[in-house]
Amino acid sequence: MSKYRRLISVEEAKRILFSLELKPEIEEVPLLESLGRVSAESIFSPIDVPPFERASMDGFAVRASDTFDAREDSPKSLRIKGKVLPGEKPEIEIESGEAIEIATGAMMPKGADAVVMIEDCIVENTHVKVLKAVRRFENVMSAGGDISGGERILKRYTLISPHHIGVLAASGISRIRVLSLKVGIFSTGDEIIDCRKELEEAKIYDVNRYSISSSLKLIGCTPVDYGIIGDDEREIEETLERAALECHAVITSGSTSVGVADLFPKIIERKGQLLFHGVNIRPGKPFLVGIVNGRPVFSLPGYPTSALSIFIYFVEPLFRRAMHLRDERKKIRMKLTSKMRLDGRRQILPVGVFRDKCYPVFKSSGAITSLSEAEGFVEIPENVEVIDEGEELEVTLFSEKRIPDILFMGSHCPGVELIDELMECEMKIVNLGSTGGLMVMRRGIPDISGIHLGDNLLQAREYGLKNCVLVKGYLREQGIISSVPLSSFEEIVDKDLRIVNRNPGSGTRLLLDRLIEELAEKRGIEAENLRRNLKGYEVVVKTHSSLAYYISTGRADAGIGLKYVALRYNLFFTPLTEEEYDFLIPIERLEESTVQEFLSVLRSKEFSKRLPDGIRTYERTGEIIKI
């Protein structure tokens, strides 16, 4: 009879592990403490970044119209009215023929719409000579030019990095809700002491508490240290019970192999349920899993390489799932540098890699450098006794580099953000507008583009996208979003209301231009004159959420956007049209697993059920049409 309870297969161990339930809680923490944690919700910027128009160059703030025709041989002379520095709110206003000296980052004074760079100016006493003409908004960063108020700046279930913290700080977010999964950790063994103490004879420093705690932090979990416990059955039992009461899960190492110190299996059986003890794999055969106080307990082997290998291979995927993180360990095919002889058991083999080759670095289960010198590991199946030099193996890399699986570029839509949240793979979203989506798709850049340009199929054909398919998406209700009740677009013009516009190339901006042209034709006037006199036409934002935010904060009275964002910001909505929002996908990428997952989510009942009011799927959703 085996000295272990019953050696189970790797597949059975994984099945038991993934039947366990780990449910993190939600806690609010200061921004700086959120590094390495997992966001519990999507976060939208409460402000514009920057929150005001500011100079992007040192120079002079001017009215662009005052610089027209300015040249080095025929400069324009403007009277210097004052100076504005960063952090100051300008109290002066520019009139025609005037200029205000301004520093990079300073708030633009009222009346100015451009900045002439200092190198294009000659200062003469009270006047400045402008040697080069500037366009409106040249060398000016508009309010919301970096981040628009209402724009999503952090996706739910994101592992927070320093650059996320920078964006959140810029948006004035000082506290954040994160997932909280506490994991009690302790090592066992009379021979173990903490590395902060002086090493004694016959003792070794504890490795596993540090390596496992660090691994847990990398995936957003919170390790709780219960120290080192000697081979004392009562002390181990008390510590285990306390950890199982105070934490969501417990991880221990040591005291799992059969022998004098075989205490853990007995304690687990006495205090809870032993799920298995022993897996047919090398290293890490004595791996043990049980339940105490309703909490999962994972007892790893004492040897450092065995402990960390088993954690990475068996335990970490379970914690990643609980934290809503995908498995980010990249797998690549590499050639073995030299022939290997094995014992026929299932094995996790640490390997070093260089170029397209890999080599074994395993020393022994007790040698921690087996993993520190490895870039990844190879899983060797059972009954393999020889691997020849040059044979290709699948290497799982340890690197945690996060690279998007799929790239979306095109028109902003909350529906796309919902698909992103429901997908397992990582999708990067770049909001360029519908026309921008067509242009980048013609250049073959994204995997998917989103457009809403009326007859989307016709537009795709006119752009010559013969190597793509059009996938029917869903219907969106577009209309007038306003701070006061309105019955038509005409009312905006008649009441001289201020609007906020969408970025050039967006389908929503094209809808606004069509409304302007229709009204101009009705009144027998030039559309350009109507456009020029429409207050705020030149003020643009990148997303529907940002447009609604502008109106809700009083910086505009109305705009064209989605019903969903009007409701979200408690604004009035006047419906104009229900439009089709569709997707473009290159034929060569259509069968890729990430694209297929996107289409599967698009067609799913879950997606349809969770769409907000004003966006709905219909009988053609997911239909594929060759362009």
Side-chain angles (χ1 to χ4, degrees):
M1 180 180 171
S2 169
K3 62 181 179 178
Y4 295 100
R5 295 293 192 275
R6 180 176 71 87
L7 281 182
I8 64 172
S9 67
V10 168
E11 288 70 27
E12 189 177 353
K14 286 183 175 180
R15 181 188 61 76
I16 293 171
L17 283 166
F18 275 84
S19 70
L20 299 175
E21 211 170 354
L22 277 171
K23 285 188 177 179
E25 297 172 1
I26 294 175
E27 67 172 326
E28 188 175 273
V29 297
L31 181 60
L32 278 176
E33 292 178 20
S34 70
L35 180 64
R37 305 292 295 274
V38 176
S39 57
E41 60 192 5
S42 292
I43 296 178
F44 300 83
S45 178
I47 63 166
D48 283 333
V49 180
F52 51 84
E53 285 190 345
R54 66 180 185 181
S56 56
M57 293 285 179
D58 290 338
F60 284 86
V62 299
R63 288 188 172 185
S65 56
D66 284 343
T67 72
F68 292 167
D69 300 326
R71 303 189 308 272
E72 287 190 25
D73 60 345
S74 179
K76 293 282 180 133
S77 182
L78 303 174
R79 185 174 71 86
I80 300 173
K81 193 171 186 179
K83 184 176 183 178
V84 181
L85 296 172
E88 294 179 352
K89 183 179 179 182
E91 302 294 336
I92 45 180
E93 182 177 345
I94 281 187
E95 303 290 345
S96 182
E98 296 177 334
I100 293 177
E101 188 178 353
I102 195 164
T104 301
M107 189 175 188
M108 289 289 287
K110 197 172 180 181
D113 59 11
V115 172
V116 182
M117 291 192 295
I118 192 70
E119 51 263 44
D120 295 325
C121 299
I122 297 175
V123 177
E124 294 183 342
N125 297 320
T126 60
H127 284 70
V128 59
K129 286 184 176 180
V130 177
L131 308 177
K132 183 181 176 182
V134 287
R135 304 180 308 276
R136 286 190 77 193
F137 308 118
E138 189 168 341
N139 301 319
V140 175
M141 192 171 194
S142 63
D146 190 4
I147 301 167
S148 298
E151 184 177 339
R152 187 178 76 170
I153 53 175
L154 190 70
K155 177 183 166 185
R156 183 176 64 157
Y157 304 145
T158 297
L159 192 61
I160 298 167
S161 67
H163 77 263
H164 292 128
I165 287 179
V167 170
L168 292 164
S171 301
I173 307 290
S174 62
R175 297 183 68 82
I176 177 173
R177 283 160 59 84
V178 296
L179 299 183
S180 173
L181 191 71
K182 294 180 180 177
V183 186
I185 304 220
F186 63 93
S187 294
T188 62
D190 290 334
E191 77 281 15
I192 305 293
I193 65 169
D194 191 85
C195 64
R196 290 167 291 188
K197 295 180 179 179
E198 188 175 339
L199 190 63
E200 302 170 16
E201 273 193 36
K203 302 288 186 181
I204 58 171
Y205 283 131
D206 182 20
V207 171
N208 296 338
R209 269 169 51 245
Y210 288 92
S211 60
I212 301 300
S213 292
S214 301
S215 299
L216 286 165
K217 283 184 176 181
L218 284 176
I219 55 173
C221 298
T222 306
V224 180
D225 186 15
Y226 287 86
I228 299 168
I229 312 300
D231 290 323
D232 180 289
E233 190 167 348
R234 183 177 174 183
E235 194 177 356
I236 291 174
E237 187 173 318
E238 288 175 354
T239 304
L240 177 61
E241 282 191 286
R242 186 156 57 93
L245 280 170
E246 297 171 350
C247 301
H248 299 94
V250 183
I251 297 178
T252 76
S253 65
S255 296
T256 58
S257 59
V258 173
V260 177
D262 182 21
L263 304 175
F264 235 93
K266 299 174 187 174
I267 295 169
I268 296 275
E269 285 186 323
R270 189 163 62 243
K271 305 305 294 187
Q273 180 185 4
L274 181 66
L275 299 179
F276 65 79
H277 178 206
V279 181
N280 191 19
I281 195 166
R282 177 175 180 261
K285 187 176 174 183
F287 179 36
L288 177 154
V289 175
I291 303 286
V292 173
N293 192 39
R295 307 295 196 187
V297 176
F298 309 93
S299 192
L300 309 176
Y303 282 139
T305 292
S306 297
L308 195 52
S309 295
I310 290 297
F311 173 82
I312 290 169
Y313 188 74
F314 285 108
V315 183
E316 185 188 279
L318 179 62
F319 282 90
R320 279 188 177 277
R321 185 186 69 173
M323 300 301 282
H324 300 274
L325 298 175
R326 62 175 184 156
D327 187 355
E328 294 186 25
R329 299 197 183 277
K330 187 178 178 182
K331 299 178 188 292
I332 55 174
R333 304 290 297 182
M334 308 198 88
K335 293 176 182 176
L336 188 66
T337 57
S338 58
K339 186 173 182 177
M340 284 185 61
R341 296 194 180 276
L342 305 156
D343 61 7
R345 273 197 293 165
R346 188 82 164 257
Q347 187 168 345
I348 304 168
L349 181 71
V351 294
V353 301
F354 69 100
R355 295 179 187 169
D356 63 340
K357 296 180 174 62
C358 65
Y359 57 93
V361 296
F362 185 75
K363 297 176 182 178
S364 72
S365 296
I368 187 60
T369 52
S370 292
L371 286 184
S372 67
E373 293 173 4
E375 279 77 43
F377 66 85
V378 171
E379 184 180 348
I380 309 295
E382 291 174 26
N383 303 318
V384 173
E385 296 184 354
V386 176
I387 303 177
D388 291 323
E389 178 184 342
E391 190 169 333
E392 262 200 356
L393 301 173
E394 185 177 73
V395 177
T396 301
L397 299 178
F398 291 144
S399 172
E400 292 289 323
K401 208 167 202 179
R402 195 180 187 97
I403 300 171
D405 301 302
I406 189 168
L407 176 61
F408 173 93
M409 303 176 88
S411 174
H412 168 257
C413 183
V416 174
E417 292 176 349
L418 177 58
I419 291 175
D420 181 29
E421 288 195 7
L422 293 174
M423 287 173 68
E424 287 293 324
C425 68
E426 183 72 17
M427 182 165 71
K428 183 174 184 178
I429 298 173
V430 181
N431 297 316
L432 299 174
S434 294
T435 305
L438 287 170
M439 291 171 68
V440 292
M441 184 56 74
R442 186 162 62 183
R443 292 166 59 192
I445 298 173
D447 298 294
I448 300 172
S449 286
I451 61 171
H452 60 107
L453 294 165
D455 190 335
N456 293 325
L457 183 59
L458 177 64
Q459 292 292 330
R461 284 173 175 161
E462 288 183 351
Y463 263 78
L465 301 178
K466 294 179 182 178
N467 296 325
C468 296
V469 295
L470 182 84
V471 178
K472 301 302 291 181
Y474 39 80
L475 302 176
R476 313 191 310 175
E477 203 170 346
Q478 286 259 48
I480 301 168
I481 299 174
S482 56
S483 56
V484 294
L486 296 173
S487 59
S488 66
F489 174 70
E490 203 166 349
E491 264 194 90
I492 294 176
V493 176
D494 292 342
K495 292 182 177 180
D496 198 27
L497 299 179
R498 179 174 294 278
I499 68 161
V500 57
N501 205 350
R502 287 292 310 283
N503 48 303
S506 70
T508 304
R509 187 185 180 100
L510 295 176
L511 174 58
L512 174 62
D513 285 337
R514 194 178 79 221
L515 293 170
I516 291 171
E517 287 161 10
E518 289 172 357
L519 183 57
E521 185 179 353
K522 177 182 175 182
R523 295 187 175 185
I525 59 175
E526 291 291 325
E528 190 53 41
N529 288 338
L530 187 55
R531 191 177 285 111
R532 191 181 304 116
N533 292 322
L534 189 58
K535 288 180 182 175
Y537 180 86
E538 73 285 351
V539 178
V540 301
V541 292
K542 294 177 286 186
T543 67
H544 290 277
S545 300
S546 301
L547 182 138
Y549 172 79
Y550 252 67
I551 297 166
S552 71
T553 52
R555 282 179 285 179
D557 303 305
I560 307 299
L562 295 177
K563 180 180 181 180
Y564 156 71
V565 294
L567 297 175
R568 184 172 158 216
Y569 282 90
N570 296 313
L571 296 168
F572 293 97
F573 181 78
T574 307
L576 294 172
T577 183
E578 190 172 52
E579 64 179 10
E580 295 178 329
Y581 186 98
D582 298 329
F583 302 98
L584 296 166
I585 301 175
I587 293 172
E588 63 180 18
R589 300 181 199 175
L590 190 58
E591 296 305 318
E592 291 181 5
S593 60
T594 51
V595 173
Q596 285 297 309
E597 186 189 354
F598 180 96
L599 295 177
S600 177
V601 171
L602 173 66
R603 295 168 179 144
S604 69
K605 289 182 181 178
E606 178 72 9
F607 173 68
S608 182
K609 185 173 67 176
R610 289 182 54 181
L611 279 171
D613 192 10
I615 305 177
R616 66 182 178 90
T617 56
Y618 65 131
E619 65 277 1
R620 298 191 68 186
T621 296
E623 179 185 333
I624 298 175
I625 304 169
K626 191 172 180 183
I627 295 171

Short mmCIF file of all heavy atoms in Angstrom, two decimals, residues 6 8-20 276 314 321:
data_model
loop_
_atom_site.label_atom_id
_atom_site.label_comp_id
_atom_site.label_asym_id
_atom_site.label_seq_id
_atom_site.Cartn_x
_atom_site.Cartn_y
_atom_site.Cartn_z
N ARG A 6 -4.00 8.19 -0.90
CA ARG A 6 -4.27 7.63 -2.23
C ARG A 6 -3.78 8.64 -3.25
O ARG A 6 -4.25 9.77 -3.29
CB ARG A 6 -5.78 7.40 -2.44
CG ARG A 6 -6.11 6.81 -3.81
CD ARG A 6 -7.59 6.50 -3.93
NE ARG A 6 -8.41 7.69 -4.02
CZ ARG A 6 -8.68 8.33 -5.18
NH1 ARG A 6 -8.15 7.89 -6.31
NH2 ARG A 6 -9.45 9.39 -5.17
N ILE A 8 -3.76 10.58 -6.35
CA ILE A 8 -4.75 10.83 -7.40
C ILE A 8 -4.05 11.45 -8.61
O ILE A 8 -2.94 11.96 -8.52
CB ILE A 8 -5.89 11.74 -6.90
CG1 ILE A 8 -5.37 13.13 -6.53
CG2 ILE A 8 -6.63 11.10 -5.73
CD1 ILE A 8 -6.48 14.13 -6.22
N SER A 9 -4.71 11.42 -9.74
CA SER A 9 -4.14 11.97 -10.96
C SER A 9 -4.18 13.49 -10.93
O SER A 9 -4.94 14.10 -10.15
CB SER A 9 -4.90 11.47 -12.18
OG SER A 9 -6.21 12.01 -12.19
N VAL A 10 -3.39 14.09 -11.78
CA VAL A 10 -3.37 15.55 -11.91
C VAL A 10 -4.76 16.06 -12.30
O VAL A 10 -5.25 17.05 -11.76
CB VAL A 10 -2.33 15.99 -12.95
CG1 VAL A 10 -2.50 17.47 -13.32
CG2 VAL A 10 -0.91 15.73 -12.44
N GLU A 11 -5.40 15.34 -13.23
CA GLU A 11 -6.72 15.76 -13.71
C GLU A 11 -7.76 15.73 -12.58
O GLU A 11 -8.59 16.65 -12.45
CB GLU A 11 -7.18 14.87 -14.87
CG GLU A 11 -6.44 15.08 -16.17
CD GLU A 11 -5.00 14.58 -16.12
OE1 GLU A 11 -4.72 13.64 -15.32
OE2 GLU A 11 -4.17 15.12 -16.86
N GLU A 12 -7.71 14.69 -11.74
CA GLU A 12 -8.66 14.60 -10.64
C GLU A 12 -8.40 15.69 -9.60
O GLU A 12 -9.33 16.29 -9.06
CB GLU A 12 -8.58 13.22 -9.98
CG GLU A 12 -9.70 13.00 -8.96
CD GLU A 12 -9.68 11.61 -8.34
OE1 GLU A 12 -8.88 10.76 -8.79
OE2 GLU A 12 -10.47 11.37 -7.41
N ALA A 13 -7.11 15.98 -9.34
CA ALA A 13 -6.77 17.05 -8.40
C ALA A 13 -7.31 18.38 -8.89
O ALA A 13 -7.89 19.16 -8.12
CB ALA A 13 -5.25 17.12 -8.23
N LYS A 14 -7.16 18.66 -10.19
CA LYS A 14 -7.66 19.93 -10.76
C LYS A 14 -9.17 20.00 -10.67
O LYS A 14 -9.75 21.05 -10.39
CB LYS A 14 -7.20 20.08 -12.20
CG LYS A 14 -5.72 20.43 -12.35
CD LYS A 14 -5.35 20.63 -13.82
CE LYS A 14 -3.91 21.10 -13.96
NZ LYS A 14 -3.54 21.31 -15.38
N ARG A 15 -9.83 18.86 -10.92
CA ARG A 15 -11.30 18.85 -10.85
C ARG A 15 -11.78 19.18 -9.44
O ARG A 15 -12.71 19.97 -9.25
CB ARG A 15 -11.82 17.47 -11.29
CG ARG A 15 -13.35 17.36 -11.27
CD ARG A 15 -13.80 15.93 -11.53
NE ARG A 15 -13.31 14.99 -10.53
CZ ARG A 15 -13.83 14.88 -9.30
NH1 ARG A 15 -14.82 15.68 -8.91
NH2 ARG A 15 -13.34 14.00 -8.45
N ILE A 16 -11.12 18.59 -8.44
CA ILE A 16 -11.50 18.85 -7.04
C ILE A 16 -11.23 20.31 -6.69
O ILE A 16 -12.06 20.99 -6.07
CB ILE A 16 -10.73 17.90 -6.09
CG1 ILE A 16 -11.20 16.46 -6.30
CG2 ILE A 16 -10.93 18.31 -4.62
CD1 ILE A 16 -10.37 15.41 -5.58
N LEU A 17 -10.07 20.80 -7.10
CA LEU A 17 -9.70 22.18 -6.80
C LEU A 17 -10.71 23.17 -7.37
O LEU A 17 -11.13 24.12 -6.70
CB LEU A 17 -8.30 22.49 -7.32
CG LEU A 17 -7.13 21.93 -6.50
CD1 LEU A 17 -5.84 21.99 -7.29
CD2 LEU A 17 -6.99 22.69 -5.19
N PHE A 18 -11.10 22.95 -8.63
CA PHE A 18 -11.99 23.92 -9.26
C PHE A 18 -13.46 23.74 -8.88
O PHE A 18 -14.32 24.48 -9.33
CB PHE A 18 -11.79 23.91 -10.78
CG PHE A 18 -10.65 24.80 -11.20
CD1 PHE A 18 -9.35 24.34 -11.17
CD2 PHE A 18 -10.88 26.12 -11.55
CE1 PHE A 18 -8.29 25.17 -11.51
CE2 PHE A 18 -9.83 26.95 -11.89
CZ PHE A 18 -8.54 26.48 -11.88
N SER A 19 -13.72 22.76 -8.02
CA SER A 19 -15.06 22.66 -7.43
C SER A 19 -15.16 23.49 -6.16
O SER A 19 -16.25 23.71 -5.62
CB SER A 19 -15.39 21.19 -7.12
OG SER A 19 -14.60 20.73 -6.03
N LEU A 20 -14.00 23.94 -5.66
CA LEU A 20 -13.97 24.77 -4.45
C LEU A 20 -14.44 26.19 -4.77
O LEU A 20 -14.20 26.71 -5.86
CB LEU A 20 -12.56 24.82 -3.87
CG LEU A 20 -11.96 23.48 -3.44
CD1 LEU A 20 -10.51 23.67 -3.01
CD2 LEU A 20 -12.77 22.87 -2.30
N PHE A 276 -8.01 15.47 -0.58
CA PHE A 276 -7.02 14.53 -1.10
C PHE A 276 -5.67 14.78 -0.45
O PHE A 276 -5.37 15.87 0.02
CB PHE A 276 -6.92 14.56 -2.64
CG PHE A 276 -6.42 15.85 -3.23
CD1 PHE A 276 -5.06 16.18 -3.25
CD2 PHE A 276 -7.30 16.73 -3.84
CE1 PHE A 276 -4.60 17.34 -3.83
CE2 PHE A 276 -6.85 17.91 -4.42
CZ PHE A 276 -5.49 18.22 -4.41
N PHE A 314 -1.12 24.37 -9.47
CA PHE A 314 -2.44 23.96 -9.01
C PHE A 314 -3.25 25.08 -8.34
O PHE A 314 -4.44 25.24 -8.61
CB PHE A 314 -2.31 22.81 -7.98
CG PHE A 314 -1.98 21.48 -8.58
CD1 PHE A 314 -0.72 20.93 -8.41
CD2 PHE A 314 -2.93 20.78 -9.31
CE1 PHE A 314 -0.40 19.69 -8.96
CE2 PHE A 314 -2.63 19.53 -9.85
CZ PHE A 314 -1.36 18.99 -9.68
N ARG A 321 -8.99 32.79 -10.73
CA ARG A 321 -10.42 32.71 -11.07
C ARG A 321 -11.26 33.47 -10.05
O ARG A 321 -12.18 34.22 -10.42
CB ARG A 321 -10.86 31.25 -11.14
CG ARG A 321 -12.31 31.09 -11.61
CD ARG A 321 -12.77 29.65 -11.54
NE ARG A 321 -12.90 29.19 -10.15
CZ ARG A 321 -13.40 28.02 -9.80
NH1 ARG A 321 -13.81 27.16 -10.73
NH2 ARG A 321 -13.49 27.66 -8.53
#
